[in-house]
Every structure is written in C-alpha cells, then in structure tokens.
Amino acid sequence: MSYENMYKAFKALSNTIATNYIYNVKTDWFYTKEHKYTSCLDAEFNARNLSENVYHNLVKNVENNLPVIHKYFKLLKDRSGLNDFTVYDTG
C-alpha cells in the first residue's frame, strides 16, 4: 500500500520532474559546448579529473553481470511463492 501511495505522489509530480530533467539536460549541454568539451560525459569526467574509461568499465561490468542479478531475483521469486514479483518484494 505504501509503495502504491509513493508512486501516486510520484505520478502527480511527473510533469515537474520532467521539466527539471529537461532543464538540467539543457544546462549540461550548454556547459559542454561553452567549454568546448566533446560530450557531457567528457565534461563531467574532466571536471573530476577522471578517465571516461571508469564509466565505460562500470557499464560493461554491470552488463556482463546482469545474469547473476537476474538469477538472484528468480531465486527470490521462487522462494516467495508469488506469481507476480515486483521490486518492492525484494525488501
């Protein structure tokens, strides 16, 4: 019930959230072009003195290990005995 109430509130704010997101994307894009970076990712990582390889390696490792998390959620679903298994059933 509390999960459903949380998402009702989220849905009620969806336009505000979308507007904020669009504003942030446009701001990041402006900053990227103004400072002559090649991409928003490049701008973000250069500001932190990090290599983009950190991000790409993280994404690659997550993608490579998705079968493990899928197996884990299948085990949770099987142990719970629920027909429909959702994210709030994992807690």
Side-chain angles (χ1 to χ4, degrees):
M1 184 67 164
S2 62
Y3 185 80
E4 291 169 359
N5 288 335
M6 180 185 77
Y7 276 96
K8 282 180 190 175
F10 179 79
K11 188 175 180 179
L13 294 171
S14 62
N15 287 336
T16 302
I17 293 166
T19 300
N20 287 337
Y21 178 75
I22 290 167
Y23 170 79
N24 284 317
V25 168
K26 288 179 178 182
T27 301
D28 287 348
W29 186 245
F30 173 80
Y31 175 82
T32 297
K33 290 302 172 190
E34 187 67 23
H35 294 273
K36 299 184 180 15
Y37 289 109
T38 58
S39 67
C40 291
L41 188 62
D42 181 34
E44 198 62 37
F45 277 85
N46 270 310
R48 289 172 170 68
N49 200 25
L50 294 170
S51 168
E52 285 186 47
N53 289 334
V54 171
Y55 171 78
H56 294 295
N57 285 334
L58 174 64
V59 170
K60 182 177 73 174
N61 282 306
V62 168
E63 287 175 347
N64 289 342
N65 289 291
L66 278 175
V68 175
I69 195 73
H70 291 159
K71 182 178 179 181
Y72 173 70
F73 282 130
K74 183 181 180 330
L75 287 170
L76 286 178
K77 179 183 183 288
D78 292 346
R79 288 184 72 201
S80 72
L82 297 171
N83 291 330
D84 294 323
F85 190 77
T86 59
V87 70
Y88 56 84
D89 295 317
T90 62

